[in-house]
Amino acid sequence: MSSTTATPDEVPLPGQSLFPGQLARTRRFSLGVPRHPAVSPDGARVLFVRTGGGDDHVGRLWLWEDGEERLLASPHGADGRTRPVPPEERARRERTRERSTGVVAYAADRELRRAVYALGGALWAVDTGGGAPFPVPAAGPVVDPRPSPDGELVAYVTGGALHVTGFGGGFGGDRCLAAPEGPRVAYGLTDHVSAESMGRLRGHWWAPDGEALLAARVDTSAVRRRWVCDPARPELPPRPMAYPAAGTPNADVSLHLLCLDGGRTEVVWDRAAFEYVVTADWDAHGPLVTVQSRDQRVLRVLAVDPATGDTRVLHEQRDRHWVELVPGAPCRTASGLLVRTEESAGTRRLRVGDALTPAGLQVTEVLGADGDEVLFTGCGDPAEEHVWAVGPGPDCRRVSDGPGVHSAAAAGGTVVLDSLTPDGHTVTVLRGGTAAGRIVSLAEEPVVTPCPLFPVHGTRRLRSALFLPSGYDPGAPDARPLPVLLSPYAGPGMRLVVRARTWRACVAQWFAEQGFAVLVTDGRGTPGRGPAWEKEIRGDQLTPALEDQIDALHAAVAEHPYLDAGRVAIRGWSFGGTLAAAAVLRHPEVFHAAVAGAAPADQRMYDTHWKERYLGHPDREPENYERSSLLRDAPRLRRPLLLVHGTSDDNVAFAHTLRLSAALLAAGREHTVLPLSGAGHTGGDGTVAERLLGFELGFLRNALGTGTG
């Protein structure tokens, strides 16, 4: 369905009203998209998860082989009923922002012959060669099951204890390898900051011979508790959550080598100096662990002796601001070469033995090693992200082609290329660089088609995307100036200005079709432009970000005189919400209205690893937290401000919005608060998600005086 167009002050034609419902129904176009591909060592088979369609939220496990797809596991047990999700699994899904149900994750043995998954707390397995899924008896509700490399055993966590069991009654029954010593201790799981801020979602790893595991022990006794609840349902008890806010104690994380025969050895390093366990793995060359200091200025890669638990330093990286963590790094190739990142020549680069990726190619993620060749993603142009390969020699070649954001999984000479392009989502299976087939995406086609311009602004060469109403002709006799809506994130870890049909680009185009010129700018602090660009925000997250948004706005107005600088609004979510609120608080001469969603208002309330990375420890650098706070600026509000927040948000607590609202009220400043009952950090699904865009639109139109026709 094609998009429809509205002039600045008109009601859109009926087709445009379909988009908010479609965005909610498709869970932001995530349903029906193939995810989590894994390739067998011989390159012949690919496992992946996909829901049954663009509006089907139930995940299923699939196998691609010889150009054909085969369903392996559906989300129902033998009796056809779904089961409730246990609390530990619910927490894992919230951390990963999982938007589907059913089979949402799996783990497989080394040859991809057997896969296991948890379904409503029950343990299930399926043989990829054929046969129906079968239940595996477990000691309790199962979290994060993982088969041994040979597929004969499976490790899982229940009640904070790490267990191992066999299939079909083997292994002599279920065995507990490590039981928690107290109610706030767990084995085999991750902790909050490791999952949310470091990307480490796992807590146990098999030895290659299947005779032992490396497991994390997490003790949250010293971590302060938060209570997450839904105020609209007072009959339900609040849920406790160990949340280490900036400046407060972290979880005590240690690592242990657990043998199946009952032997246990603790991994030894200076845990007082390096309290963060960033990565862990156990490959053919032994356990490999990465640890980081509390101030994040030192990162060490450790080789572990599996017999004694002793460690030796393979590499140490230092930075006066912080050492940036790159997903997938470090790791090792088949021959044992260490794969790590380093920063030189203004570039975040990848080193594989003596090979070093070229200057100007900003490495964003290490995807893994296929033999001695390493696949990674990187940006030459920050508006595109491509898959590259390096090693075993010095040559670096690009695997993906065409504009877009690309990722991949690879083994045995087969590459599964996952591409989000201006035309949508494709997953291509490559062998020897040639397409051998495709894995079908069942995602819906958006009813709006993003058509942005990509200007580059000013001396800092700010990258922007400008969305205009379809068919808008500024030279037409009846053309009227367009009000401007800034819609950035503009914070660490996320780029929005990309040549791809993302759901955020669709939302920006939808607002454009309502009669706005929508400007999205990635300023300092965003990834893809190099270490110096990212680290300019150290000590002050708001001032550089606001300067860049204002500079891009002024440049866009100068280049396009039909943009109305007298009617400028800004909207954003999470850090983008903080930026939106700060814009109207600090620069009412530029911004005339704002919508701030799930905005961290008091930076001391956000978690240790993420917030201390940019602002330091609040006891030692309190001024950084003050200059990045919204609370102190509350008396300066002169413009319409809408605060939106999910009441059950466990990432940015609802208390952020409550405290900002209280400060505004105390200062006598009018504002609007929209609580989303029971919603988490992403704003909820269903009716809430469907109606929210319309509510924002009405607020912005009223605030800017554009009218409704």
Side-chain angles (χ1 to χ4, degrees):
M1 181 180 296
S2 61
S3 61
T4 56
T5 305
T7 55
D9 297 337
E10 290 178 342
V11 177
L13 296 175
Q16 282 302 313
S17 65
L18 299 177
F19 177 75
Q22 185 190 39
L23 186 71
R25 187 182 68 255
T26 62
R27 308 281 174 90
R28 298 174 177 173
F29 303 102
S30 66
L31 302 180
V33 175
R35 297 185 299 151
H36 310 313
V39 186
S40 62
D42 60 3
R45 300 177 307 286
V46 180
L47 284 174
F48 64 96
V49 171
R50 186 183 61 202
T51 70
D55 60 358
D56 178 5
H57 66 276
V58 179
R60 299 163 175 84
L61 181 63
W62 298 80
L63 175 74
W64 184 95
E65 187 173 18
D66 296 328
E68 301 291 334
E69 297 178 9
R70 177 161 54 89
L71 178 64
L72 293 180
S74 69
H76 301 294
D79 57 7
R81 294 183 297 141
T82 57
R83 270 81 172 181
V85 180
E88 296 88 351
E89 176 64 14
R90 187 184 306 113
R92 188 197 67 79
R93 294 186 185 186
E94 289 170 353
R95 287 167 177 165
T96 59
R97 307 290 181 256
E98 179 58 58
R99 304 185 67 82
S100 60
T101 60
V103 184
V104 300
Y106 69 92
D109 63 8
R110 184 167 39 223
E111 301 295 328
L112 263 62
R113 296 296 183 186
R114 176 170 285 166
V116 299
Y117 55 95
L119 197 59
L123 176 58
W124 288 80
V126 62
D127 292 328
T128 62
F134 56 93
V136 180
V142 168
V143 178
D144 198 18
R146 295 187 178 271
S148 58
D150 62 6
E152 295 301 317
L153 305 173
V154 60
Y156 66 92
V157 179
T158 184
L162 182 61
H163 286 245
V164 173
T165 190
F167 296 98
F171 189 56
D174 193 288
R175 188 177 301 174
C176 178
L177 294 188
E181 296 85 359
R184 295 186 172 183
V185 176
Y187 284 89
L189 297 178
T190 189
D191 60 289
H192 177 84
V193 295
S194 295
E196 287 283 354
S197 300
M198 297 184 234
R200 179 173 62 80
L201 300 175
R202 295 181 58 178
H204 61 278
W205 303 263
W206 278 99
D209 62 5
E211 295 296 324
L213 291 107
L214 175 66
R217 178 186 183 272
V218 176
D219 184 350
T220 62
S221 299
V223 180
R224 296 179 184 177
R225 259 51 185 178
R226 289 183 176 178
W227 298 88
V228 181
C229 66
D230 180 2
R233 302 188 66 186
E235 72 278 8
L236 297 180
R239 173 170 58 89
M241 178 183 180
Y243 190 100
T248 68
N250 281 306
D252 179 16
V253 181
S254 56
L255 293 172
H256 302 260
L257 299 155
L258 306 175
C259 296
L260 299 188
D261 62 9
R264 173 170 172 165
T265 303
E266 183 172 351
V267 178
V268 179
W269 77 93
D270 186 351
R271 289 172 50 212
F274 296 89
E275 64 182 80
Y276 290 125
V277 178
V278 178
T279 68
D281 198 8
W282 196 335
D283 60 20
H285 309 283
L288 186 70
V289 174
T290 309
V291 295
Q292 190 178 40
S293 59
R294 174 74 182 246
D295 65 10
Q296 302 182 52
R297 291 171 174 162
V298 186
L299 185 79
R300 283 184 177 175
V301 183
L302 307 176
V304 182
D305 184 333
T308 65
D310 293 336
T311 58
R312 60 186 176 90
V313 178
L314 296 181
H315 179 70
E316 180 176 284
Q317 186 176 355
R318 293 177 174 265
D319 189 276
R320 67 187 182 94
H321 295 304
W322 72 80
V323 177
E324 182 70 16
L325 306 180
V326 176
C331 63
R332 285 184 287 215
T333 67
S335 65
L337 294 176
L338 183 64
V339 179
R340 60 176 178 84
T341 58
E342 66 178 55
E343 297 175 2
S344 60
T347 307
R348 182 163 295 114
R349 308 167 79 175
L350 191 66
R351 181 172 290 281
V352 184
D354 294 329
L356 185 65
T357 56
L361 177 58
Q362 307 291 347
V363 173
T364 55
E365 182 176 2
V366 176
L367 302 172
D370 185 9
D372 276 345
E373 184 176 73
V374 178
L375 255 65
F376 66 96
T377 56
C379 300
D381 176 350
E384 298 184 9
E385 189 166 350
H386 284 279
V387 176
W388 299 77
V390 63
D395 293 337
C396 185
R397 61 182 177 88
R398 200 172 89 174
V399 176
S400 54
D401 193 20
V405 177
H406 306 267
S407 187
T414 294
V415 176
V416 178
L417 186 63
D418 189 325
S419 303
L420 185 59
T421 72
D423 297 323
H425 208 124
T426 60
V427 180
T428 307
V429 181
L430 303 174
R431 286 183 178 146
T434 302
R438 281 195 172 184
I439 296 174
V440 177
S441 174
L442 303 176
E444 280 193 16
E445 288 291 307
V447 297
V448 296
T449 302
C451 301
L453 306 172
F454 290 99
V456 178
H457 294 132
T459 57
R460 289 192 293 275
R461 298 190 59 77
L462 297 167
R463 306 305 177 98
S464 297
L466 179 62
F467 300 80
L468 301 174
S470 300
Y472 176 74
D473 181 3
D478 59 346
R480 287 172 283 179
L482 295 173
V484 184
L485 175 62
L486 276 64
S487 188
Y489 178 77
M494 186 185 302
R495 300 190 318 282
L496 298 190
V497 182
V498 293
R499 295 186 181 93
R501 195 178 70 190
T502 65
W503 69 267
R504 292 180 177 86
C506 292
V507 169
Q509 187 66 49
W510 181 81
F511 273 104
E513 304 298 359
Q514 316 311 309
F516 292 90
V518 180
L519 183 66
V520 181
T521 301
D522 288 341
R524 283 169 288 177
T526 58
R529 292 283 299 269
W533 179 267
E534 295 171 6
K535 295 174 183 180
E536 278 198 54
I537 63 170
R538 177 60 171 82
D540 186 350
Q541 285 195 268
L542 288 179
T543 303
L546 284 171
E547 289 175 352
D548 289 345
Q549 295 300 312
I550 294 170
D551 288 353
L553 171 65
H554 289 164
V557 170
E559 294 169 10
H560 306 282
Y562 53 85
L563 303 186
D564 187 352
R567 294 186 295 172
V568 177
I570 182 171
R571 65 182 293 271
W573 201 269
S574 198
F575 179 83
T578 302
L579 191 66
V584 291
L585 290 169
R586 299 185 180 186
H587 294 282
E589 77 284 2
V590 177
F591 299 98
H592 307 103
V595 177
D602 183 350
Q603 306 308 320
R604 290 176 177 84
M605 291 176 61
Y606 206 74
D607 78 43
T608 51
H609 192 272
W610 187 263
K611 195 51 60 177
E612 292 174 16
R613 183 184 314 171
Y614 310 114
L615 300 181
H617 195 289
D619 292 345
R620 292 188 285 274
E621 300 179 82
E623 67 281 3
N624 295 345
Y625 287 79
E626 284 301 311
R627 69 169 61 98
S628 300
S629 171
L630 298 178
L631 302 183
R632 70 168 191 169
D633 294 320
R636 302 170 64 178
L637 183 64
R638 300 292 187 276
R639 299 293 191 182
L641 171 61
L642 169 62
L643 304 176
V644 186
H645 212 132
T647 61
S648 298
D649 192 336
D650 65 356
N651 183 14
V652 179
F654 186 42
H656 283 273
T657 286
L658 293 177
R659 291 187 182 185
L660 178 55
S661 177
L664 292 167
L665 186 62
R669 303 304 176 192
E670 291 187 7
H671 61 287
T672 303
V673 178
L674 176 62
L676 306 179
S677 178
H681 186 58
T682 57
D685 296 310
T687 302
V688 169
E690 180 176 353
R691 302 300 184 194
L692 183 55
L693 286 182
F695 192 95
E696 288 186 53
L697 176 63
F699 174 85
L700 293 170
R701 279 179 164 165
N702 290 334
L704 297 181
T706 62
T708 57

